[in-house]
Amino acid sequence: MKQERIRDLLKDWRVLTLIILLVLSVVAIYPHFDNSGNLTTNLQYGLDLQQGAWLQLEFKAEVVGYTTTEPVDTFVANLSKSLDTDVEQVDANHLEIRKSYTQAELEPYFEAEGGTVVSYQPGISKASADLVKQILEQKINAMGTKDAKVNTLTGMNNVARYVRVEMAGVDMNQAQQIIGKQGKFEIRIQTTGNETEHVLYGDTITSVQVPSKDTSGNWGVGFTLSDAGAETFRDAAIKYGATTDPTHHQLAMILDNKTVYSAPLSSNLASSLQSETTRTMTASTGTGTYGMQQATNLEIQLRAGALPVDVSVAGSGSTSASLGSHYMAMCLIAGILALITVAFVIFYRYREPRIVLPMVLINASEIVILLGFISVIKFQMDLPTIAGLIAVLGTGIDQLVVITDEILHEGIVPSQTVYLKRLARALTIIVVAAATVLIAMLPLALMDLSTLKGFAIITMMGVLVGVIVTRPAYGKIIMEILSQ
C-alpha cells in the first residue's frame, strides 16, 4: 500500500516538476573532482570569494549647461575647435566636453564663441557612460578575463562621473594592465614628415572580424566603419593625398598617444577610394607567428580601445586568494548552520519528524535549484548572493509553516475537499507575500552599482521558485505523509 502511494506521489505533476528541476540543477552545478583531487563545480565566484581586484575610473570630462545667441551647430563646432576636443550636444541646454576643464577655464572659451556657462557637472552623459560600459566589457572579454563586472555610477541628473570594474581571478597588476591604461583610440593620416591629422575616433568602427590569413600568408583584421565614418575617412584620404601617394601618407591607429598600427593604404583601397566610399577594410599585420600576434592585439584595440573620453584611476583594491578562501569557508558554514537551525526550530514547533524532514528537504531543494540557476546563467556568487540564499531559507520555511498550519487545523489532516480549500487559502497568502517581496527587491535588482544587487536577484528568484514549484509540491507531499 505504501509503495503504491509513493508511486502515485511521484507521478503527481507538482512533485515530478520538483524532481526534474533538482536533477537538472545538479547536472548544471556539476560537482566533480579536478586534476588535483579537489572538489569543484561549475559555479562562478565573484570578487568576495576568490582572488581579484577592482578599479574605479574617473571620467576626464564634464557636462555643461549653456546658453548662446549663435546657431547651435556653429557654436558647437567653433567651441570644439577652440577647446581642441570633441563637444557633443546632450540635449537642447547641455553639452558634453570630452576633456578635463574647470568651470573657470571653460567660461572664457564660451564667451569668445558667443555663449555662457549656466551649470557645470564633472562627468559624462548617461548615453556616453553606457557606451563606455559596453566598450570596457568588450575589452575585458577580448582579453579572455572572466567573471568581470562593469558598472557606471549615474546620478539623478543623468551625469556619470565614475565607472567601477571588478575582476575576479586576477591580481592588481593584471587589472591595471587590462583596465587602468585604457584610453582613447584614434585613427590619423600622415600629412608631411611626421605630422598627422585626426580622421576618426574608434566609436565609428561598427564591427571587427577575427584575425584571418589571406592566400599570401599575410595576417590581418577586417573592420567596418559606419556610413558617416566611411565618408569622413574617404574625404580625409583624398584631402591629405593618401589615395594618390599612399607610401608617404600612412594610416596610423593610436591608443593613449601610442601608435599601435601604422601602414599605407593598399593600392586597391587607395584606387577605390578615389571613386567611392568604402566601409569595409582590412589592416594587414604581416606573416608568421609575429603577424598573428599583432593581428590579435590589433583586434582587441579595434573592438574595445575606443573610449570616447579619457579616464584616470580614482581608486583600487584587491582580495587575496587566502582571504577569498576564508570567506568561502565561512559562507559554507553559515549556510549549513542556517539549515540546521531551521530544522531545530521546526522540530521544536511541531515535535513531529514526519513534518520536519519534508520541510528541511524542500527548503534545501530550493537552494539547489537556485544554485543550478546561478550556474546556468553564469551569475557570480559573492557575499550578497550568499546572503540572498540564506534569506531564501528563512522566507521559505515561513511559507511552509503557513501551509502546514492551514492544513493541520487542530492537528488533524482534513478530507480531500477541505484540504484543497485550505491549501488554496495558504497559497493565496504566500502569493501575496511573494508579490510584496518582489516589489521591494525590484529597485535593488535594477540599480547598477548596488552592492545588494546579487542579494535582490537571488531573493526574487527564490520567491518565484517557491511559489511556482516547491510550495505546491510540499502541499501534496505533506498531505500524503500525514494521511493514514
Side-chain angles (χ1 to χ4, degrees):
M1 182 64 179
K2 289 184 177 180
Q3 292 181 349
E4 291 180 2
R5 296 185 68 175
I6 292 175
R7 282 197 297 267
D8 292 339
L9 183 61
L10 294 178
K11 291 179 181 178
D12 185 86
W13 67 269
R14 291 160 290 194
V15 178
L16 190 60
T17 301
L18 175 60
I19 294 173
I20 291 174
L21 282 178
L22 277 174
V23 173
L24 292 177
S25 296
V26 172
V27 172
I29 297 169
Y30 187 45
H32 62 281
F33 292 96
D34 58 19
N35 296 331
S36 302
N38 299 319
L39 182 64
T40 184
T41 66
N42 283 342
L43 294 171
Q44 295 187 3
Y45 302 103
L47 189 60
D48 296 329
L49 302 179
Q50 63 173 316
Q51 176 185 349
W54 62 268
L55 293 172
Q56 184 158 304
L57 309 177
E58 182 179 9
F59 298 120
K60 310 304 290 182
E62 48 279 335
V63 175
V64 178
Y66 76 103
T67 59
T68 182
T69 56
E70 301 294 324
V72 174
D73 291 344
T74 303
F75 174 73
V76 171
N78 292 340
L79 189 63
S80 176
K81 185 176 181 180
S82 61
L83 291 174
D84 189 29
T85 189
D86 284 347
V87 177
E88 298 291 330
Q89 189 167 6
V90 178
D91 55 40
N93 302 311
H94 294 86
L95 298 176
E96 180 181 280
I97 312 296
R98 292 182 171 179
K99 195 173 182 179
S100 181
Y101 286 100
T102 65
Q103 182 172 349
E105 290 172 338
L106 285 175
E107 287 174 347
Y109 288 101
F110 274 71
E111 292 174 1
E113 304 301 337
T116 304
V117 175
V118 177
S119 63
Y120 175 92
Q121 182 68 44
I124 58 178
S125 66
K126 186 178 185 302
S128 295
D130 291 340
L131 176 60
V132 169
K133 180 178 179 178
Q134 294 174 8
I135 290 171
L136 287 175
E137 287 174 340
Q138 292 173 2
K139 173 77 170 180
I140 294 168
N141 292 335
M143 294 294 291
T145 304
K146 299 179 180 179
D147 304 337
K149 291 181 180 179
V150 180
N151 292 305
T152 55
L153 178 58
T154 304
M156 297 297 292
N157 55 1
N158 284 330
V159 175
R161 187 171 183 179
Y162 300 100
V163 58
R164 180 184 172 97
V165 183
E166 298 180 0
M167 290 172 286
V170 303
D171 58 28
M172 183 56 69
N173 289 333
Q174 290 174 299
Q176 292 278 4
Q177 291 174 2
I178 295 171
I179 298 299
K181 296 182 180 179
Q182 182 70 290
K184 197 186 305 184
F185 186 87
E186 185 182 12
I187 299 177
R188 303 179 71 92
I189 286 183
Q190 180 184 3
T191 54
T192 57
N194 293 325
E195 297 294 323
T196 61
E197 283 291 336
H198 166 76
V199 180
L200 299 171
Y201 287 114
D203 54 3
T204 58
I205 299 175
T206 58
S207 65
V208 180
Q209 287 72 50
V210 297
S212 59
K213 186 166 56 174
D214 61 20
T215 54
S216 301
N218 286 309
W219 285 92
V221 180
F223 61 96
T224 303
L225 300 175
S226 64
D227 290 335
E231 287 284 352
T232 302
F233 183 84
R234 177 175 181 265
D235 293 342
I238 294 174
K239 176 180 178 181
Y240 298 117
T243 57
T244 55
D245 186 11
T247 304
H248 295 94
H249 300 282
Q250 295 192 13
L251 177 73
M253 298 181 182
I254 299 171
L255 177 64
D256 283 338
N257 297 320
K258 180 180 178 181
T259 301
V260 296
Y261 177 84
S262 179
L265 299 179
S266 68
S267 56
N268 291 336
L269 178 59
S271 177
S272 65
L273 286 174
Q274 289 278 14
S275 57
E276 61 183 359
T277 299
T278 301
R279 292 187 58 200
T280 302
M281 307 176 194
T282 299
S284 297
T285 56
T287 59
T289 303
Y290 176 79
M292 181 182 66
Q293 292 174 345
Q294 291 301 307
T296 301
N297 291 335
L298 182 58
E299 178 201 8
I300 293 171
Q301 308 301 344
L302 288 174
R303 284 184 184 277
L307 287 186
V309 297
D310 290 330
V311 295
S312 63
V313 178
S316 62
S318 62
T319 300
S320 65
S322 59
L323 187 59
S325 299
H326 174 72
Y327 285 154
M328 192 179 300
M330 291 298 100
C331 288
L332 181 61
I333 293 173
I336 294 174
L337 288 178
L339 194 59
I340 293 174
T341 303
V342 165
F344 273 114
V345 171
I346 294 304
F347 183 78
Y348 178 78
R349 176 180 176 83
Y350 293 105
R351 306 298 176 89
E352 176 60 68
R354 293 185 302 168
I355 295 176
V356 175
L357 188 59
M359 275 192 174
V360 173
L361 291 179
I362 287 291
N363 220 11
S365 71
E366 290 183 29
I367 303 302
V368 175
I369 292 173
L370 286 175
L371 290 176
F373 171 77
I374 291 172
S375 180
V376 169
I377 66 172
K378 305 299 182 184
F379 192 81
Q380 289 184 25
M381 288 187 62
D382 49 19
L383 292 181
T385 303
I386 300 296
L389 291 173
I390 295 175
V392 168
L393 284 174
T395 57
I397 210 69
D398 286 344
Q399 295 176 1
L400 296 180
V401 167
V402 171
I403 294 175
T404 306
D405 286 351
E406 282 289 335
I407 293 175
L408 291 177
H409 181 63
E410 296 181 354
I412 301 173
V413 178
S415 64
Q416 179 77 9
T417 302
V418 176
Y419 158 78
L420 292 175
K421 289 182 179 179
R422 291 180 179 177
L423 179 60
R425 185 165 59 244
L427 290 178
T428 300
I429 296 171
I430 290 171
V431 168
V432 173
T436 303
V437 173
L438 290 174
I439 293 172
M441 291 293 107
L442 189 60
L444 288 178
L446 296 178
M447 290 175 65
D448 283 341
L449 270 184
S450 173
T451 56
L452 297 178
K453 185 172 184 177
F455 171 82
I457 292 175
I458 295 305
T459 302
M460 294 170 68
M461 287 305 306
V463 167
L464 292 174
V465 169
V467 170
I468 298 171
V469 181
T470 57
R471 308 295 179 263
Y474 173 77
K476 179 64 177 177
I477 292 171
I478 198 66
M479 181 181 181
E480 289 297 330
I481 289 176
L482 297 180
S483 298
Q484 299 295 336

